[in-house]
């Protein structure tokens, strides 16, 4: 008689330890944070941070002269700029984690909110007027320029509207409504404060979004002509703008040295005075008498203190930023991403070229800051937020290996189709 050993009764499955579940979730979340990102993300983030750091150094150098002359602490102005940088850089990386669906949902609220914020400049007690422009508000000792946030709001809104109308953009009425009326209203809120420079940047954003949406050239030309005509009319009807334009066109600008030509002449002299290697960081002479040395003319201080080499570094960083942004535009499959990225790129790179062109006397004085570098907290935060939107889009790009495999599959499919269509003997 044989006996068999009874099999052990299997134990009922036990619930996993809650602490272990939390640890696993934490490891998964940590893995997502440190997941590999596309090269475009690294290129955009690094250039934005380098330009911001470079700008803080130049703001410190440029404002030290005015602070000493006024008897103020030498670091007061740069500390304010650092505060905005400390706010803007984390916001850039927070924005980079947000999905594309969030930017689509927030497009309308962002535009409406930024327009309402801009209208605060006309509220007595809040609005501040300087040099004939009323485009600032003063809150808690800090001065803000709400029009800077209009740029990002308009870019997001244009991307969302043109994305929704993607299949209808061949018809001019669908391009015109609501793009032209809403765009004109947004630009009018800035022109009401007599800020033509910012209005021109908003026009560039609108035209850039239309271009990257893929509208037909004949439809794109009409808004372009209308924009140029409107800018010309606004320039001609303003005595101050005409004065600056005529001083720009005057080949013998020294005849009006103490008036319209004072700022542009000292800007170009300061830029040229640095030579190839510059006078050394902090050794600028032009900053003691150049108006807006830390704002619109910070590139002149870069040229004087760091020379041609410093200017080349700044231009190279903006070029790298443009390369990263255009890679996002080229590689994405989402029309919304392509349109918004194109509008933001036209805004930041175009504004940089206009600012540098003003310093070089290629354009009349327009009063637009150098993105990332000029003194101005609102401008810095807005461009860092815009860079965060580009970083968010860069995260959605397919990985390099996936793109390579897709290209191989497409090539193989083409070869199969070619082989199938070849005549048989």
């Amino acid at each position: 008689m044989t006996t068999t050993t009874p099999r052990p009764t299997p134990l009922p499955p036990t619930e996993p330890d809650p602490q272990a579940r939390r640890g696993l979730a934490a490891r998964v979340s940590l893995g997502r944070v440190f997941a590999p990102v596309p090269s475009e993300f690294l290129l955009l983030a690094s250039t934005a941070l380098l330009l911001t750091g470079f700008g803080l150094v130049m703001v410190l150098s440029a404002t030290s002269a005015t602070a000493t002359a006024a008897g103020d602490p030498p670091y007061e102005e740069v500390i304010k700029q650092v505060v905005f940088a400390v706010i803007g850089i984390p916001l850039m990386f927070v924005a980079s984690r947000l999905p594309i669906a969030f930017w689509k949902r927030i497009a309308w609220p962002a535009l409406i909110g930024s327009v309402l914020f801009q209208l605060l400049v006309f509220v007595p007690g809040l609005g501040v007027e300087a040099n004939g422009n009323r485009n600032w508000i003063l809150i808690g000792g800090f001065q803000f320029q709400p029009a800077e946030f209009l740029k990002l709001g308009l870019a997001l809104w244009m991307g969302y509207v043109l994305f929704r109308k993607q299949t209808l953009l061949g018809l001019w009425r669908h391009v015109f409504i609501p793009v032209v009326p809403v765009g004109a209203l947004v630009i009018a809120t800035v022109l009401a404060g007599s800020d033509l420079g910012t209005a021109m940047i908003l026009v560039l954003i609108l035209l850039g979004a239309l271009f990257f949406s893929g509208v037909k050239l004949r439809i794109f030309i009409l808004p372009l002509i209308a924009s140029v005509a409107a800018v010309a009319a606004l320039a001609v009807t303003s005595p101050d703008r005409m004065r600056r334009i005529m001083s720009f066109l005057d080949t013998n600008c020294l005849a009006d040295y103490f008036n319209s030509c004072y700022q542009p002449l000292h800007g170009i002299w300061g830029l040229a005075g640095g030579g190839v290697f510059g006078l050394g960081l902090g050794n600028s002479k032009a900053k003691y008498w150049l108006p807006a040395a830390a704002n619109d003319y910070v590139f002149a201080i870069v040229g004087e203190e760091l020379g041609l080499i410093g200017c080349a570094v700044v231009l190279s960083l903006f070029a790298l930023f443009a390369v990263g942004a255009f890679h996002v535009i080229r590689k994405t499959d989402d029309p919304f991403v392509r349109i918004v990225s194109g509008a933001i790129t036209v805004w930041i790179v175009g504004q940089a070229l206009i600012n540098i062109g003003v310093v070089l006397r290629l354009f009349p004085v327009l009063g637009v800051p150098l993105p990332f570098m000029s003194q101005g907290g609102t401008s810095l935060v807005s461009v860092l937020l815009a860079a965060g939107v580009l970083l968010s889009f860069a995260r959605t790009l397919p990985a390099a290996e996936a793109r390579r495999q897709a290209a191989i599959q497409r090539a193989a499919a083409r070869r199969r189709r070619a082989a199938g269509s070849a005549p048989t003997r």
Side-chain angles (χ1 to χ4, degrees):
M1 182 177 181
T2 58
T3 59
T4 58
T5 305
R7 294 181 179 179
T9 305
L11 296 175
T14 58
E15 289 291 329
D17 184 14
Q19 191 69 25
R21 286 204 306 270
R22 285 196 296 270
L24 178 61
R27 286 195 298 273
V28 171
S29 299
L30 198 60
R32 289 176 180 172
V33 170
F34 293 101
V37 292
S39 58
E40 292 80 9
F41 181 97
L42 299 176
L43 185 60
L44 289 168
S46 58
T47 50
L49 292 176
L50 287 172
L51 284 168
T52 302
F54 201 167
L56 292 176
V57 173
M58 298 315 302
V59 167
L60 172 61
S61 176
T63 56
S64 61
T66 54
T68 303
D72 297 328
Y75 304 114
E76 181 178 2
E77 295 299 325
V78 75
I79 287 174
K80 291 181 180 179
Q81 191 75 357
V82 168
V83 168
F84 284 105
V86 170
I87 294 172
I89 291 174
L91 282 178
M92 178 180 73
F93 286 108
V94 169
S96 73
R97 306 293 303 182
L98 298 174
I100 296 176
F102 171 82
W103 299 116
K104 292 178 180 178
R105 287 196 302 269
I106 206 176
W108 271 102
L111 182 68
I112 295 172
S114 57
V115 169
L116 293 176
F117 191 35
Q118 168 65 16
L119 293 177
L120 292 179
V121 302
F122 305 108
V123 176
L126 281 179
V128 176
E129 184 173 345
N131 300 322
N133 290 358
R134 191 178 182 86
N135 277 307
W136 294 270
I137 59 174
L138 187 64
I139 300 177
F142 285 90
Q143 192 165 292
F144 303 92
Q145 189 173 4
E148 292 296 329
F149 293 112
L150 274 177
K151 299 173 182 176
L152 181 57
L154 182 62
L156 289 171
W157 180 83
M158 288 288 296
Y160 181 72
V161 169
L162 294 174
F163 160 73
R164 294 292 301 270
K165 289 176 169 279
Q166 192 69 25
T167 59
L168 303 171
L169 295 181
L171 303 173
W172 71 268
R173 62 180 180 274
H174 287 286
V175 177
F176 186 86
I177 303 293
V179 168
V180 174
V182 175
L185 177 63
V186 170
I187 296 170
T189 61
V190 176
L191 288 176
S194 302
D195 189 353
L196 181 60
T198 302
M200 290 179 62
I201 302 300
L202 292 172
V203 171
L204 282 180
I205 293 172
L206 190 147
L207 295 176
L210 287 174
F211 177 80
F212 286 101
S213 68
V215 298
K216 294 180 179 178
L217 185 61
R218 58 184 174 83
I219 298 178
F220 176 79
I221 288 294
L222 293 177
L224 178 61
I225 295 175
S227 301
V228 172
V231 169
L234 291 167
V236 170
T237 54
S238 170
D240 180 64
R241 295 179 192 127
M242 281 303 298
R243 176 180 56 82
R244 285 183 285 177
I245 292 173
M246 295 308 296
S247 67
F248 164 71
L249 297 175
D250 187 4
T251 56
N252 186 23
C253 200
L254 284 171
D256 195 24
Y257 170 76
F258 289 105
N259 295 308
S260 302
C261 294
Y262 184 87
Q263 187 179 28
L265 280 179
H266 279 286
I268 196 70
W269 289 344
L271 183 67
V276 177
F277 301 102
L279 304 179
L281 193 61
N283 293 330
S284 169
K285 300 175 183 177
K287 65 185 178 183
Y288 288 94
W289 50 76
L290 175 62
N295 305 94
D296 303 340
Y297 276 80
V298 70
F299 190 73
I301 307 303
V302 172
E304 187 180 17
E305 295 187 351
L306 303 178
L308 178 63
I309 295 176
C311 294
V313 169
V314 172
L315 291 172
S316 299
L317 288 173
F318 276 110
L320 289 174
F321 185 88
V323 168
F326 278 116
H327 274 223
V328 174
I329 296 169
R330 183 175 63 87
K331 294 178 181 178
T332 185
D333 297 324
D334 191 328
F336 173 79
V337 172
R338 183 175 63 254
I339 297 168
V340 177
S341 299
I344 291 175
T345 305
V346 170
W347 156 25
I348 295 178
V349 178
Q351 183 171 315
L353 293 177
I354 291 174
N355 176 277
I356 294 170
V358 167
V359 175
L360 293 172
R361 291 209 69 204
L362 299 176
F363 306 119
V365 178
L366 295 171
V368 295
L370 185 61
F372 298 108
M373 295 190 63
S374 288
Q375 181 187 14
T378 320
S379 173
L380 179 61
V381 172
S382 67
V383 294
L384 286 172
L385 268 176
V389 175
L390 289 177
L391 294 178
S392 172
F393 295 161
R395 285 185 182 274
T396 66
L397 298 179
E401 181 61 24
R403 290 196 301 270
R404 189 178 69 85
Q405 293 296 336
I408 292 173
Q409 292 174 2
R410 287 195 298 268
R414 284 196 297 269
R415 286 195 297 269
R416 287 195 298 268
R417 286 197 300 270
S421 61
T424 57
R425 294 184 179 178

